Amino acid sequence: MLDVNGTREAHLQAFQQAPALFSAPGRVNIIGEHTDYAEGFVMPAAIDFETIAAISPRTDGQVVIASQNFNETVTHSLQQLPEKARHHWSDYPLGVLWALREKGIDVPAFSLTLKGDVPLGAGLSSSASVEVATISALLSLTGKEIPLPEMAQLCRRAENVYVGASTGIMDQFIACCGKENHALLLDCRSLDYKLAPIPANIAIVISNTMVKHSHAGGEYNTRRAEVEEGTRILHAHRPEIKFLRDATVDDLAKWGSEMPPDVLKRTRHVITEDDRTVAAAAALEAGDLKTLGRLMYEAHASYRDDFEGSCPEADILVDLASKEAGVIGARLTGGGFGGCTVNLVEEAHATTFIENLRKGYHAATGISADIYRCHASDGVHRIAE
Ligand code: GLA
């Protein structure tokens, strides 16, 4: 839990103004990986890690952004904001400011203090939580209200265009629309969504491989390009396939042989993952936890073998989890190439599970994993005075 008063005080001390405070969560994705930018389905939950944004207006035309995590403050004139990302933590809040201005929303000069406890580079969407907390804070100074799905889209645009990571809509959307004790099945094409309650006797345990990743550049963008190549090949045969959301395993059986082997594998992952995600949501809704768990393991195997987005450490965590009592399912969550695994565990077994997983992982890798017992949480909100 973050110390909200600490952030309020720090802001007051630095800027001599009492701030308004906003909180936006990180997320864990239960199933549906690398399907969002293919306009498919995902089923994340917001979690009780968050970013707090404290904001107050200024009268000197400056934009001053302080990060309590990095212990650093950046200052820019509102008239002369950096046009491009600089590979710096401030890219995310500045990207959001850029996206609002691009949309024609004038943001007055401000002081912003950011503090977060979403582990960085761990696949739990620290960046989306910064973006969404920031956009709510900035909007509060404009007197404008934007519907939550549109806020998510603006934050995604900040990340895609300004920061330069070609991510989909999942992280920003769940940070906006998450609901306590629920997972959210999102149709990334229409942005329609359904909330599914997570049974009270199920614990969400997140285990961190401690292997870090970054989306800006690197493997994420390469994979995305491969998925797009697969889409183009199928589209040439069936023009109604605009995104892999529109394709089926039959299409792959017919035309997959025209794809380079890696492209075929990435494409197969996305198409089958979409099917698994829809089935998993139905299983959760029906209380069929056995099917949900099986689909999570299948999703992990596909992420590992077809998408080649896992890492040996995540495979070890999933394998260890699968042998423990009371475990419903486990898989690598998030953008991949490191980060965390998500485990759904019967509450009664959760404590022993965590102990055994920690020991087993250390014995196998020499790494001490951070393991978090999380709760599905609400999306962005203003923190009461
Ligand atoms: C990252 C991206 C998301 C999504 C996942 C993979 O978290 O930000 O848009 O593509 O990876 O499912």
Side-chain angles (χ1 to χ4, degrees), residues 27 29 32-37 167-171 215 220 334-335:
R27 65 102 187 90
N29 191 17
E33 226 62 84
H34 291 270
T35 45
D36 59 353
Y37 52 78
T167 56
I169 188 74
M170 168 168 67
D171 305 346
H215 290 334
Y220 185 96

Side-chain angles (χ1 to χ4, degrees), residues 86-99:
R86 300 170 305 151
H87 303 290
H88 189 257
W89 60 263
S90 60
D91 292 347
Y92 295 94
L94 287 170
V96 169
L97 176 58
W98 169 87

Side-chain angles (χ1 to χ4, degrees), residues 134-318:
T134 301
I135 201 167
S136 306
L138 296 185
L139 280 170
S140 74
L141 296 187
T142 67
K144 290 221 164 54
E145 279 187 29
I146 302 188
L148 289 170
E150 209 177 301
M151 268 167 60
Q153 282 168 309
L154 282 171
C155 289
R156 177 191 180 187
R157 188 158 169 77
E159 182 140 357
N160 288 174
V161 183
Y162 190 89
V163 179
S166 325
T167 56
I169 188 74
M170 168 168 67
D171 305 346
Q172 293 81 7
F173 197 93
I174 186 71
C176 286
C177 300
K179 186 157 172 358
E180 193 177 11
N181 298 328
H182 287 74
L184 183 154
L185 175 72
L186 174 66
D187 177 337
C188 298
R189 170 164 285 168
S190 63
L191 299 190
D192 287 341
Y193 67 92
K194 245 201 305 201
L195 293 164
I198 298 176
N201 61 338
I202 301 301
I204 303 175
V205 178
I206 297 174
S207 35
N208 192 340
T209 60
M210 313 304 277
V211 179
K212 288 207 176 185
H213 74 101
S214 148
H215 290 334
E219 306 259 38
Y220 185 96
N221 288 354
T222 320
R223 289 297 187 280
R224 185 162 175 178
E226 288 170 332
V227 167
E228 274 158 17
E229 193 181 336
T231 313
R232 270 195 301 278
I233 291 169
L234 296 180
H235 173 79
H237 293 283
R238 222 167 46 82
E240 55 280 29
I241 300 178
K242 302 250 173 0
F243 289 87
L244 288 186
R245 154 70 175 274
D246 308 309
T248 64
V249 279
D250 285 348
D251 295 321
L252 214 53
K254 282 192 206 138
W255 302 303
S257 59
E258 293 174 24
M259 297 176 186
D262 281 352
V263 172
L264 172 61
K265 292 206 279 181
R266 312 304 182 239
T267 308
R268 185 167 56 211
H269 166 77
V270 176
I271 294 175
T272 57
E273 183 81 348
D274 253 339
D275 295 344
R276 281 187 291 271
T277 305
V278 173
L284 178 59
E285 249 185 342
D288 179 0
L289 298 178
K290 202 162 162 225
T291 301
L292 173 63
R294 176 179 53 76
L295 290 164
M296 287 175 75
Y297 288 122
E298 286 176 14
H300 182 77
S302 174
Y303 206 175
R304 180 191 62 211
D305 301 335
D306 272 350
F307 206 74
E308 295 181 278
S310 187
C311 60
E313 292 83 357
D315 298 340
I316 289 171
L317 279 174
V318 170

